[in-house]
Amino acid sequence: MSTCSGPDSDARRWATLPLRDVARLMNEYGVGAVVMTESGLPAGIATDRDLALRVLADGLDPESPVSSAMSTPVITVDVNDGTQEAYRIFRRCGVRRLPVLAERQVIGVLAVDDMLMDVFRRMADLLGGPIAWSVLEEPPGPSGQEAGPGIS
């Protein structure tokens, strides 16, 4: 998950980055979404899917600002909402990533993949047998990747 936040001028700076640069940063840091915030509130979200569909399929210039490809308004979930609410929002809204808010500030992003891991954990608990829990303990993606500036 990435959040590009800070003072409004910093958020505007992120929103003007070319799509190509945002895609490179997402690739470099192994994230699939960048949430643009203004005063801590989500103003837009650009996902790897947004970039693929809007740049490749729709022919948007890769030098266009990321704001031209980000989705608004941002559909979110509150940190105090249960998993059932998150499932409901995913199903109803057809999104694959939900920024998570705490006191109206973005603190993370919940992905459909995270929900799949939740289902896997629940099934493993139900089965109670010798399940390879090591797959749950290791974070996804290439090892050794660290978040960069403005990316967490």
Side-chain angles (χ1 to χ4, degrees):
M1 188 285 291
S2 301
T3 59
C4 303
S5 61
D8 285 342
S9 61
D10 190 45
R12 281 192 289 275
R13 179 183 62 83
W14 276 97
T16 61
L17 279 177
L19 291 165
R20 181 187 318 276
D21 293 349
V22 172
R24 284 182 182 141
L25 286 169
M26 289 169 70
N27 183 50
E28 182 178 345
Y29 294 108
V31 297
V34 178
V35 179
M36 302 295 166
T37 60
E38 289 186 29
S39 301
L41 300 173
I45 184 169
T47 67
D48 47 8
R49 188 170 194 270
D50 289 329
L51 298 182
L53 294 179
R54 294 192 175 126
V55 175
L56 295 175
D58 294 345
L60 193 59
D61 183 354
E63 296 305 317
S64 299
V66 69
S67 60
S68 64
M70 64 186 191
S71 299
T72 59
V74 182
I75 299 165
T76 63
V77 66
D78 189 84
V79 70
N80 295 312
D81 291 339
T83 56
Q84 290 302 323
E85 177 64 7
Y87 280 117
R88 188 184 68 74
I89 294 171
F90 277 124
R91 201 170 47 250
R92 187 190 72 205
C93 299
V95 295
R96 295 180 178 158
R97 293 183 180 86
L98 288 172
V100 179
L101 305 181
E103 298 180 17
R104 300 182 53 183
Q105 301 291 307
V106 177
I107 62 165
V109 173
L110 181 64
V112 170
D113 293 355
D114 299 323
M115 302 305 278
L116 179 61
M117 292 303 290
D118 176 62
V119 169
F120 183 79
R121 281 189 182 103
R122 290 173 191 243
M123 291 302 296
D125 287 343
L126 273 174
L127 297 173
I131 302 283
W133 285 97
S134 63
V135 298
L136 299 175
E137 295 168 358
E138 194 172 309
S143 61
Q145 284 188 325
E146 296 294 325
I151 299 190
S152 56

